[in-house]
Amino acid sequence: MNIRTLAAASAALGLLATASVANAAITVNTSAGYPVADDLFGTSLGLNNQTMLYDFDAIANANVAWSGNVLQGPQTGGSSASPPYGGSQSGDTTMFSSVQANQTSTFSATNGYYLTSFSFYLGSPDAYNGVVFHLTDGTSQAFDGNQIWGGTPASPGGNRDMGFRVYYDFGGAHVSSIDFTSTGQDAFEFDGLAGQVGVPEPGTWALMILGFGGAGAMLRRRKMAVA
């Protein structure tokens, strides 16, 4: 197969992969009684065929990456904003994310991989928090502070006695990255990013092979020119 034919095959595979998830919708999964209160470390992950992908401490899956603010908990004082909550404001002594006012932090799949499901531990849900899922087909889906966990946050400042692990159903969608925002006020605090990582799209593999083939052809031409 020559390079031109391989490029055409790559494009076709990419279109097929995109078409299969184009109409998927992401929803909060409440079918099994979720969000689950006080599930920071994901004791229910196995029920959803998920694993911990990133916990801001020791766990960092090789095919995901994080970009954003990270704090050490608990914060000083009796009203710590660090998870877990669940009736206790003393907080968690491990690292957690705290997205500050008008900032964005991003959790992404890397190396051509993608997420097929997701969950995270959310503390003190606030109306000004937001999450945006970016799909591999180029579309996105946004959730505001109420939609993030399927409830109504206390206002102002959320409810620091509340903490939930929120599970999402992607409906077959493939997600390349997730943005976390906090609009106008501090902050968006969470921990324990979990889910499933899918293998690279067929089109991605084909493009990688195409790249390797092109590099090999260039090397061969250089050798012939030197000879």
Side-chain angles (χ1 to χ4, degrees):
M1 181 182 292
N2 59 37
I3 291 178
R4 182 174 298 177
T5 303
L6 183 57
S10 170
L13 287 170
L15 288 172
L16 287 172
T18 300
S20 66
V21 298
N23 297 319
I26 299 171
T27 57
V28 174
N29 180 7
T30 58
S31 61
Y34 300 116
V36 177
D38 308 324
D39 193 12
L40 171 62
F41 298 106
T43 56
S44 299
L45 292 181
L47 298 177
N48 292 268
N49 298 315
Q50 294 187 354
T51 59
M52 192 66 67
L53 299 175
Y54 206 96
D55 70 351
F56 304 104
D57 289 288
I59 300 175
N61 185 284
N63 296 310
V64 300
W66 170 259
S67 174
N69 194 39
V70 178
L71 296 180
Q72 175 76 45
Q75 298 177 11
T76 59
S79 59
S80 169
S82 61
Y85 299 86
S88 172
Q89 296 182 8
S90 60
D92 173 23
T93 58
T94 66
M95 305 296 287
F96 67 100
S97 173
S98 180
V99 181
Q100 303 301 296
N102 300 317
Q103 294 186 5
T104 300
S105 296
T106 303
F107 178 61
S108 57
T110 61
N111 306 320
Y113 287 75
Y114 54 85
L115 300 171
T116 59
S117 70
F118 178 70
S119 70
F120 75 123
Y121 189 91
L122 164 66
S124 181
D126 293 297
Y128 46 79
N129 297 153
V131 171
V132 180
F133 292 89
H134 297 280
L135 282 64
T136 57
D137 63 4
T139 63
S140 63
Q141 185 173 340
F143 289 76
D144 63 25
N146 295 332
Q147 298 167 328
I148 288 171
W149 62 289
T152 303
S155 182
N159 184 344
R160 293 183 175 180
D161 289 337
M162 299 175 68
F164 302 96
R165 173 160 291 279
V166 187
Y167 291 85
Y168 294 89
D169 181 358
F170 283 5
H174 297 166
V175 171
S176 57
S177 65
I178 305 171
D179 290 338
F180 301 86
T181 62
S182 188
T183 304
Q185 300 185 59
D186 293 336
F188 189 179
E189 299 105 359
F190 50 89
D191 203 347
L193 309 179
Q196 292 177 305
V197 177
V199 299
E201 301 277 7
T204 301
W205 280 116
L207 287 173
M208 291 172 63
I209 294 171
L210 177 61
F212 293 144
M218 290 178 63
L219 288 174
R220 287 193 295 270
R221 283 197 295 270
R222 287 180 181 177
K223 289 181 179 179
M224 292 175 64
V226 171

